[in-house]
Amino acid sequence: MFKVGLTRFSVGSILRNQARLTARTQLPLRAAVPTFAGIRYNSSSTTHEIKDKLVSFVDETNATETVTNLHSDQLGYLESIGLAQGWGPTSIIEQLLEITHVYTGLPWWGTITVLTIIIRVVLFPLYVKASSNATRMSEIKPQLDTIMKQIKGGDTQEQMRGMEKRRKLMKQHNVSTLMSMAPMVQVPLAYGFFQALRKMANHPVEGFADQGLAWFTNLSDVDPYLGLQAIAAAAVIVMVRIGGETGQHAIAKGMKQVMTVVPIVSIFITKNFSAAVVLYFAVNSILSLIQSAIFKSNTLRQLLGMPKKLTIHQLNESTTSSPKSLKEMMTNFIDESKEKGIKTAREANKRLEVTQQRKNVEEYGYIKKRERSPKRGKK
């Protein structure tokens, strides 16, 4: 009996509590009905609508507040907006840009410029070695051209002898083919700059909209006058004319013509790039021009422990065998292809003749030896 009474008491208590809860919840709902009805026909009464509306997790205002709890002058800002994550070239450049921006206090245009200068200074010793190597290579270029003709025109034994001569000559003059490729280290860094600045401009990063300079105040927007593109193109053309980044390349006339047209075409290719990206191109091109001018000075070359630059007469001698124009380059390529094809055909015919002569031998010829070989194997 005690258990039955307790059960009845519990059920009754639950029912009474539910009735009270229902009565409490129905009152606000009924009171809210005319309010919502009034809101429906009177758009000026929005107080209750704002209070009764649930906050959306995808609300743009809330998302902005979450992202911008850090500012661009604080470390970790780029990571908080989804950038500077990982250890690829792009992420490394983004991290370096943020560190430079925070610790120098420079605007973004100054940050891009300063970091570009710092990286070029770090890579400068590689360019010094590459320029010295290019000078020594130009000195022995006529001899190398003669050896290369021997390698191309001779048989297998002559080719092997020519390659050995070439190796000894380069070792004697301390010339390294690998060192000529040293400036290629800049390629992944240039790619990292391009991708990093493109992403930062597209986001956009805080400050990119107003921390530009002169006519390109908005680094996220394109250069309206193509001024940065023109500066970059002009710097590249002048740099090639005075000897390239190493300052001592014996550049053929045809290649100079190509390297004059390509920068001009690049103006129209990069016209839709953001000002931040093109600013990097312009600054890097100007630094390449300054570096080339440094390598043209014998005084500065002596201070850097580099060999003296070649005279005009020496440069002319080293480019005597090189094509003078783009048309000559194409003509030489076609002629060399024809000579190579003729040489291959002659060698094939010679091998066929030797094989046919062996087949025509009756007694101790090629066929009889081939017939005897299985018998030797059986024994």
Side-chain angles (χ1 to χ4, degrees):
M1 293 176 63
F2 176 74
K3 291 181 180 180
V4 174
L6 181 61
T7 305
R8 289 178 181 176
F9 175 77
S10 301
V11 172
S13 299
I14 293 171
L15 292 175
R16 283 194 297 273
N17 289 335
Q18 288 181 350
R20 291 173 184 172
L21 182 61
T22 305
R24 290 177 181 176
T25 55
Q26 284 179 351
L27 182 60
L29 291 174
R30 291 175 182 174
V33 170
T35 304
F36 283 110
I39 290 171
R40 182 178 181 181
Y41 297 102
N42 185 7
S43 60
S44 61
S45 180
T46 59
T47 305
H48 295 285
E49 183 182 11
I50 295 173
K51 290 183 178 180
D52 296 335
K53 185 179 179 181
L54 292 174
V55 177
S56 174
F57 289 102
V58 295
D59 185 67
E60 294 180 357
T61 305
N62 293 335
T64 303
E65 290 177 356
T66 304
V67 171
T68 56
N69 56 353
L70 292 175
H71 297 281
S72 61
D73 59 351
Q74 296 174 301
L75 293 177
Y77 166 75
L78 292 181
E79 186 177 2
S80 69
I81 61 176
L83 301 175
Q85 298 177 352
W87 295 101
T90 303
S91 299
I92 291 174
I93 294 299
E94 288 170 350
Q95 294 171 22
L96 292 176
L97 283 168
E98 183 177 59
I99 292 171
T100 306
H101 182 67
V102 171
Y103 285 104
T104 62
L106 292 169
W108 278 115
W109 75 266
T111 300
I112 296 169
T113 302
V114 168
L115 183 59
T116 306
I117 294 173
I118 291 173
I119 290 179
R120 289 304 296 255
V121 170
V122 171
L123 295 178
F124 186 72
L126 286 177
Y127 283 98
V128 170
K129 293 182 179 180
S131 179
S132 302
N133 189 76
T135 302
R136 293 190 290 267
M137 177 76 80
S138 298
E139 290 176 350
I140 63 173
K141 191 174 185 301
Q143 302 174 52
L144 288 174
D145 290 340
T146 303
I147 295 173
M148 289 305 297
K149 288 180 180 179
Q150 178 184 350
I151 294 174
K152 291 180 180 180
D155 54 14
T156 305
Q157 292 182 354
E158 290 182 355
Q159 289 177 359
M160 295 297 293
R161 286 195 293 267
M163 292 175 65
E164 182 64 20
K165 286 182 181 179
R166 181 176 180 271
R167 186 188 66 81
K168 289 181 178 179
L169 180 64
M170 294 179 67
K171 184 178 180 180
Q172 181 182 355
H173 290 83
N174 193 21
V175 175
S176 172
T177 305
L178 183 62
M179 188 52 62
S180 301
M181 305 297 292
M184 296 298 292
V185 176
Q186 187 184 207
V187 173
L189 296 175
Y191 172 79
F193 260 108
F194 170 73
Q195 289 289 356
L197 294 173
R198 184 182 65 84
K199 291 180 179 179
M200 293 171 71
N202 290 338
H203 195 276
V205 167
E206 182 185 47
F208 261 50
D210 57 359
Q211 291 185 17
L213 180 69
W215 69 90
F216 54 96
T217 55
N218 189 348
L219 295 173
S220 297
D221 202 358
V222 299
D223 184 346
Y225 305 108
L226 300 180
L228 292 172
Q229 285 90 338
I231 292 173
V236 170
I237 292 172
V238 176
M239 177 195 67
V240 171
R241 292 287 176 178
I242 67 176
E245 283 189 308
T246 57
Q248 192 58 80
H249 278 307
I251 302 176
K253 185 178 179 181
M255 187 56 65
K256 286 184 178 180
Q257 292 175 353
V258 173
M259 292 306 297
T260 301
V261 175
V262 170
I264 296 174
V265 174
S266 68
I267 295 176
F268 304 97
I269 295 176
T270 61
K271 65 185 180 69
N272 292 324
F273 288 4
S274 63
V277 174
V278 189
L279 174 62
Y280 164 72
F281 290 160
V283 173
N284 196 49
S285 300
I286 293 172
L287 292 175
S288 297
L289 176 59
I290 295 172
Q291 177 179 280
S292 182
I294 291 173
F295 291 155
K296 295 290 287 185
S297 172
N298 279 328
T299 303
L300 295 177
R301 290 176 71 91
Q302 186 176 1
L303 291 175
L304 295 171
M306 301 170 63
K308 290 185 177 182
K309 66 176 183 178
L310 299 182
T311 62
I312 297 177
H313 177 69
Q314 290 174 320
L315 286 173
N316 290 335
E317 286 183 351
S318 63
T319 57
T320 301
S321 58
S322 302
K324 301 300 182 181
S325 64
L326 184 61
K327 183 178 179 180
E328 290 183 8
M329 291 174 64
M330 295 300 298
T331 303
N332 290 347
F333 175 76
I334 294 172
D335 293 341
E336 289 177 359
S337 300
K338 287 181 179 179
E339 290 179 1
K340 187 176 181 179
I342 293 171
K343 180 183 175 183
T344 304
R346 287 176 178 174
E347 291 178 352
N349 290 333
K350 187 176 181 180
R351 287 194 296 268
L352 287 173
E353 289 177 0
V354 172
T355 304
Q356 190 64 35
Q357 288 175 1
R358 289 178 178 177
K359 287 183 178 181
N360 292 335
V361 176
E362 296 179 356
E363 213 170 295
Y364 301 103
Y366 175 77
I367 298 175
K368 197 165 185 180
K369 286 184 178 179
R370 294 286 291 181
E371 290 177 352
R372 289 179 178 180
S373 57
K375 294 181 180 179
R376 293 176 184 175
K378 289 180 180 179
K379 290 180 181 179

